[in-house]
Amino acid sequence: MKIKVNENFGNLKPNYLFSETAQKARKYRAEHPDQKVISLGIGDVTQPLAPVVIEAMQKAVLEMGVKETFRGYAPEYGYDFIREAIAGYYVNKLNIAVKANEVFVGDGAKSDLGNIVDILGDNRILIPDPVYPVYMDSNIMSGRSVTLLPATAENNFLPTPPDDDIPSVVYLCSPNNPTGAVYDYDKLKKWVDYAKKTGSLIIFDSAYESYIREDLPHSIFAIEGARDCAIEINSLSKMAGFTGTRMGYTVIPETLTSGEFNLNKMWARRQATKFNGVPYVVQRAGEAVFTERGLKECKDLVDYYLENAKLIAELLEKKGVWFTGGVNSPYIWLKCPDGFDSWSFFDYLLEKAQIIGTPGVGFGANGEGYFRLTSFGSRENTLEAVARLDKLL
Ligand code: MLT
């Protein structure tokens, strides 16, 4: 062919981080069919959906089989019932004013984080290093150059705003993937103040907010002034075990504007053109998550994973391995022992203990020498992994 392709793809690493770890794990499993490999790698949940969610899905499935209650295309932004349920969660549980028309339901945070670049122009892009790779990859794909914000042990993996006046698009993730670091109110306010002062936009990834157990902000909109400078993207994957069910949402204040453009309307236009909505059955499942019973059952699920994190953390403490995270977060971020770099520690754990983790360097250059373990395994597998690590480290 002689067509022009998007040559920006040439600037990406050949593989998406989790495709690469999965590929290595598949190869190892194929070569060692007799060994039980335990994944503490990608943050994929293992516990079944909450009973209230299953009941809602079953009811919705039956509705789809009856002429009178059958539904076709879902509204692009979500049915009113789910937009209202999510806005109600903000208002009643987080004490934050969000309106239903500010909530856009999508098929997960990954898609919305990847697609949000569609409504943005050519700006300075600030991305923490290390962080969830989708921010970086989606900006590279759209031909944007990125300025990295070092997240290191020195700043407790929580970068602070630059000392300049350049209007920028800033990605923040708190609780952070992969380090587990969480911004407190004061530190987050510094970002909001910076954004307001410079005319910048914060894209706030709150996918792990339901893991917060201390007095820390669950949402960027908990900070005064954020409605003038922020978008929030969240997911039911980690909050309610929807990794395979697929639902997330983006909150864009109805008054958020840059120049003559209203970002809420732009995203609505983008979604109407490129997205046909989340399936009705899934939206009913999502609605169930935000009921009193749903929030209680999902909190139990999150508590289960936090207990796994505690078990892993206790072992690392016992072994004198430096780590952070594991509280207010499902991820444990450890310093590779014995001078291993991230990928060689990945290989070492796989070879010697049949445990898959995620190399820190995959989240950015500052992650080199670090390693991420997830608490999303089953209790049985987590305990077995802990026992294996106890022997190995
Ligand atoms: C992770 O392991 O970082 C996440 O599961 C990836 C994701 O949510 O897409």
Side-chain angles (χ1 to χ4, degrees):
M1 289 196 300
K2 292 188 178 157
I3 58 142
K4 289 192 180 135
V5 297
N6 182 349
E7 293 181 3
N8 298 313
F9 276 64
N11 298 326
L12 293 167
K13 289 185 197 152
N15 291 311
Y16 180 59
L17 172 61
F18 294 106
S19 314
E20 187 156 359
T21 51
Q23 204 176 319
K24 281 178 180 268
R26 262 197 310 277
K27 182 164 178 287
Y28 185 86
R29 283 193 170 103
E31 286 166 3
H32 305 85
D34 51 320
Q35 294 189 349
K36 177 180 168 190
V37 177
I38 297 179
S39 176
L40 302 182
I42 189 165
D44 193 6
V45 295
T46 52
Q47 298 309 292
L49 293 169
V52 70
V53 169
I54 294 299
E55 286 165 27
M57 285 175 103
Q58 283 171 329
K59 185 162 170 273
V61 165
L62 292 177
E63 284 177 43
M64 293 296 276
V66 176
K67 192 161 168 252
E68 288 69 29
T69 48
F70 167 79
R71 316 261 182 148
Y73 288 127
E76 308 95 324
Y77 319 137
Y79 284 102
D80 287 347
F81 65 77
I82 183 71
R83 300 179 86 188
E84 278 157 18
I86 294 168
Y89 172 67
Y90 274 92
V91 173
N92 302 320
K93 297 293 165 191
L94 303 182
N95 212 7
I96 291 169
V98 166
K99 294 187 196 161
N101 68 344
E102 298 178 322
V103 177
F104 295 85
V105 174
D107 69 352
K110 185 183 194 177
S111 318
D112 285 4
L113 285 162
N115 293 330
I116 199 78
V117 292
D118 277 8
I119 65 165
L120 302 173
D122 192 14
N123 299 289
R124 181 172 73 168
I125 311 287
L126 300 177
I127 297 185
D129 169 12
V131 87
Y132 185 39
V134 171
Y135 316 158
M136 182 71 154
D137 284 1
S138 55
N139 276 288
I140 293 178
M141 284 176 189
S142 59
R144 285 155 193 171
S145 59
V146 165
T147 303
L148 294 171
L149 301 166
T152 61
E154 285 67 49
N155 60 18
N156 294 319
F157 302 100
L158 295 170
T160 48
D163 193 14
D164 62 36
D165 288 330
I166 305 172
S168 307
V169 172
V170 187
Y171 287 77
L172 297 178
C173 177
S174 178
N176 183 268
N177 178 11
T179 65
V182 192
Y183 279 102
D184 64 20
Y185 289 92
D186 288 346
K187 291 201 179 89
L188 206 47
K189 177 140 188 347
K190 290 205 167 73
W191 274 111
V192 170
D193 290 348
Y194 166 81
K196 288 196 67 166
K197 182 186 82 178
T198 58
S200 296
L201 171 71
I202 297 172
I203 298 175
F204 192 77
D205 178 354
S206 61
Y208 300 95
E209 62 84 13
S210 55
Y211 288 74
I212 295 176
R213 292 289 178 271
E214 291 167 18
D215 183 19
L216 294 162
H218 287 246
S219 162
I220 188 78
F221 299 119
I223 308 297
E224 203 191 325
R227 286 182 59 86
D228 300 327
C229 61
I231 286 175
E232 180 154 293
I233 299 182
N234 200 345
S235 160
L236 273 67
S237 286
K238 316 296 157 84
M239 173 200 196
F242 271 44
T243 53
T245 307
R246 306 307 313 149
M247 201 183 116
Y249 56 88
T250 290
V251 177
I252 308 187
E254 62 185 351
T255 49
L256 189 66
T257 53
S258 189
E260 69 202 66
F261 286 93
N262 176 297
L263 274 71
N264 177 296
K265 289 198 168 61
M266 289 175 77
W267 183 245
R269 184 69 176 82
R270 189 262 170 220
Q271 292 297 81
T273 306
K274 295 196 182 181
F275 186 59
N276 252 342
V278 173
Y280 173 68
V281 173
V282 174
Q283 295 198 39
R284 283 294 185 199
E287 181 189 27
V289 166
F290 293 101
T291 59
E292 283 300 326
R293 185 182 154 204
L295 290 171
K296 161 80 181 70
E297 290 181 3
C298 291
K299 178 174 178 294
D300 291 346
L301 278 175
V302 169
D303 283 344
Y304 175 95
Y305 295 126
L306 284 170
E307 182 61 29
N308 284 349
K310 199 164 150 227
L311 292 168
I312 299 169
E314 279 167 3
L315 185 270
L316 295 176
E317 236 162 62
K318 176 176 148 192
K319 293 287 163 180
V321 175
W322 187 96
F323 72 95
T324 184
V327 281
N328 303 309
S329 158
Y331 296 126
I332 302 219
W333 181 247
L334 61 100
K335 194 140 186 48
C336 301
D338 303 327
F340 276 109
D341 66 31
S342 297
W343 276 110
S344 49
F345 192 60
F346 176 92
D347 292 336
Y348 179 72
L349 275 195
L350 186 53
E351 281 291 332
K352 303 287 181 203
Q354 292 73 53
I355 293 172
I356 298 163
T358 310
V361 72
F363 297 96
N366 278 314
E368 182 56 282
Y370 289 91
F371 201 75
R372 195 194 76 176
L373 293 175
T374 163
S375 63
F376 287 119
S378 65
R379 180 63 42 77
E380 187 196 354
N381 279 351
T382 304
L383 284 169
E384 191 172 337
V386 164
R388 291 183 193 178
L389 289 171
D390 197 4
K391 274 202 200 122
L392 184 72
L393 298 178

